[in-house]
Amino acid sequence: MNKGLLGKLGMDSKMAMGFIGILLFMMGDGLEQGWLSSYLIDNGLTIQQSALLFSVYGFAVAIAAWFSGVLAEVLGPRKTMTIGVVLFVIGTVIFLTVGLKTMNLAVMIPTYSLRGLGYPLFAYSFLVWLTYYAPAEKLGTAVGWFWVSFAAGLNVLGAYYSSFVLPYLGEMKTLWSALIFVALGAILAILLNKDDGSNRKTFETKAEMIKYLSKGITIAFERPKVGLGGIVRTINTAGAYGLVVFLPAYMIEIGFTRTEWLQIYGALWTSNVIFNIIWGVVGDKLGWRNTVMWFGGVGCAITIMTLYYIPKFMGPNYLATIIVAICFGACVAAFVPLSALIPSLAPENRGAAMSILNLGAGLSTFVGPAIVGLFIGSVGTVGILWIYSGLYLLSAFIMRFVTLPKKEENINNLSDVQAV
């Protein structure tokens, strides 16, 4: 890795185009995230139907995320990322031309899900590429930069872009504009990224290749701590992704406008972006596990509840709500060191280990909305948030058991193995 400024930051010139490409692609993928559910409900769907759409979409994301790691090693990162782009474009075009125009769930669910297959193959394959490329002592920082790019595009720039252009372009043209960002991101990350990906695995026979594909499943049982890490990763963003299904309606009911909500949502993820790199550095210095356990699990359990109680008791107080959103976004970012910890538990099968972690990331987009669909009718907004809070506390408890061998602790300066 280069020793210049970018190298010191954990991101050198060879991979820089890839990070920018991830940011642009995810901006295109996520520009509708903060408002599509409310738009669908306003145009005839129930909140349960909207939750179903996002849940099935999340399941498709989970499947693609699960196999992205091993596919990146079998086919190579560039080929896997290209497949992701193609699936995303096809799904988007059919969803917009047929699905949204008819508001027919039978069309919307499969086409939006096809779109959902695309971004994990693109983004998480690049993450596997990165875990092979970055040196061990900078791995936490490097994956922190990945999540900065990922979250900045998906949740920050996409949300702010929508808040500015929706009044002028309208919903459909805004959705079509996503393809511009996806195309630019693909060019930068696939064509202009300089590393050749030569660190990936090579296979002598097809049988050996197929056997390794199964590692994306069996690694969780062969290395139970990897499986536990996948559970924690699922909880990590389940609450954050579930919020977009029901919280916009709650905020608007309290008295916020849609633009204000999108800016609050953007502030949440702006904080997340900033703290992605901060927690990556902190994790490298103070310990990956403790960072996830205390700042991630316990921190999220507390701060997610403020998103309900602060507006509840203070009304549509824009500044106060933005502050608590920033706090929650910072705590969500504290799970970043998982992307360094989990592949380090299986150094000879990093791609397979990352597949489990990526599965967790994908499942979070399924579990979060699914919880809303199952329980919103019985427990309401505050009940859903308490469920999420309980899950975050569970993730903190699980992290007690996700430890590295003493040898790896010494190499990575992990002081957290015997802590707690």
Side-chain angles (χ1 to χ4, degrees):
M1 183 172 280
N2 293 355
K3 300 301 181 181
L5 176 61
L6 288 174
K8 291 178 180 179
L9 293 173
M11 177 180 66
D12 78 1
S13 58
K14 278 193 174 182
M15 301 298 281
M17 286 295 114
F19 287 113
I20 298 171
I22 292 294
L23 183 148
L24 290 172
F25 185 99
M26 296 313 300
M27 182 177 174
D29 177 75
L31 56 82
E32 84 281 4
Q33 194 174 69
W35 55 269
L36 182 59
S37 178
S38 60
Y39 171 75
L40 296 175
I41 293 169
D42 289 343
N43 283 273
L45 295 190
T46 66
I47 191 169
Q48 287 83 0
Q49 288 174 323
S50 178
L52 175 63
L53 175 68
F54 283 96
S55 295
V56 178
Y57 167 85
F59 184 75
V61 169
I63 296 300
W66 192 349
F67 289 105
S68 62
V70 290
L71 283 175
E73 291 191 324
V74 170
L75 302 177
R78 280 193 170 92
K79 287 184 180 178
T80 308
M81 293 168 72
T82 301
I83 292 171
V85 174
V86 171
L87 291 175
F88 182 92
V89 171
I90 293 173
T92 298
V93 170
I94 301 176
F95 179 71
L96 296 182
T97 56
V98 183
L100 281 185
K101 285 190 176 181
T102 62
M103 295 300 288
N104 185 339
L105 272 181
V107 177
M108 295 169 69
I109 287 176
T111 55
Y112 199 56
S113 298
L114 184 62
R115 188 178 187 269
L117 292 173
Y119 94 71
L121 294 178
F122 183 85
Y124 298 147
S125 294
F126 180 80
L127 180 57
V128 173
W129 192 351
L130 188 63
T131 63
Y132 275 102
Y133 177 76
E137 69 274 10
K138 291 288 187 180
L139 185 54
T141 306
V143 298
W145 277 114
F146 167 82
W147 290 113
V148 164
S149 303
F150 185 95
L154 180 65
N155 302 306
V156 179
L157 296 179
Y160 281 120
Y161 169 78
S162 291
S163 73
F164 292 127
V165 304
L166 275 172
Y168 304 100
L169 297 183
E171 289 82 2
M172 291 301 294
K173 288 182 179 178
T174 299
L175 288 169
W176 276 112
S177 69
L179 295 178
I180 298 173
F181 298 106
V182 166
L184 290 173
I187 291 170
L188 290 176
I190 299 174
L191 299 180
L192 299 184
N193 203 42
K194 295 179 181 178
D195 183 65
D196 61 9
S198 59
N199 288 326
R200 71 182 180 89
K201 283 184 175 293
T202 56
F203 303 91
E204 295 181 0
T205 65
K206 288 185 178 180
E208 183 181 344
M209 184 185 300
I210 293 171
K211 182 179 179 181
Y212 189 75
L213 282 172
S214 69
K215 278 286 183 181
I217 302 172
T218 60
I219 191 72
F221 303 98
E222 296 169 1
R223 301 290 182 91
K225 291 178 183 179
V226 172
L228 291 176
I231 294 172
V232 172
R233 182 63 184 87
T234 301
I235 295 171
N236 174 197
T237 45
Y241 289 139
L243 293 180
V244 299
V245 178
F246 70 100
L247 202 62
Y250 171 72
M251 291 294 184
I252 291 171
E253 180 183 328
I254 289 292
F256 291 104
T257 66
R258 183 169 73 168
T259 297
E260 287 174 331
W261 155 248
L262 286 172
Q263 291 172 354
I264 291 168
Y265 186 73
L268 185 161
W269 288 105
T270 300
S271 166
N272 181 267
V273 167
I274 295 170
F275 277 89
N276 271 331
I277 192 62
I278 292 175
W279 294 128
V281 175
V282 169
D284 281 342
K285 301 295 183 181
L286 301 181
W288 295 333
R289 188 185 67 150
N290 274 341
T291 302
V292 174
M293 185 187 305
W294 294 108
F295 296 104
V298 176
C300 283
I302 296 170
T303 55
I304 196 170
M305 296 310 306
T306 63
L307 290 172
Y308 176 83
Y309 287 110
I310 292 299
K312 178 71 173 178
F313 293 112
M314 298 185 67
N317 188 313
Y318 184 74
L319 178 60
T321 306
I322 275 195
I323 290 172
V324 297
I326 287 171
C327 292
F328 177 62
C331 291
V332 170
F335 288 82
V336 154
L338 280 174
S339 295
L341 174 58
I342 299 307
S344 297
L345 292 169
E348 73 286 0
N349 290 303
R350 287 179 180 268
M354 285 303 298
S355 285
I356 296 299
L357 200 61
N358 294 343
L359 171 64
L363 280 175
S364 70
T365 66
F366 166 73
V367 171
I371 288 173
V372 178
L374 289 172
F375 299 108
I376 190 71
S378 57
V379 301
T381 298
V382 67
I384 295 295
L385 290 172
W386 275 111
I387 291 172
Y388 291 149
S389 181
L391 288 174
Y392 282 123
L393 290 177
L394 175 62
S395 75
F397 175 75
I398 292 173
M399 284 305 298
R400 289 176 58 90
F401 308 101
V402 184
T403 57
L404 283 173
K406 193 69 176 181
K407 178 181 177 182
E408 296 297 327
E409 173 196 10
N410 293 333
I411 291 174
N412 293 285
N413 192 27
L414 298 179
S415 60
D416 61 349
V417 173
Q418 294 182 336
V420 183

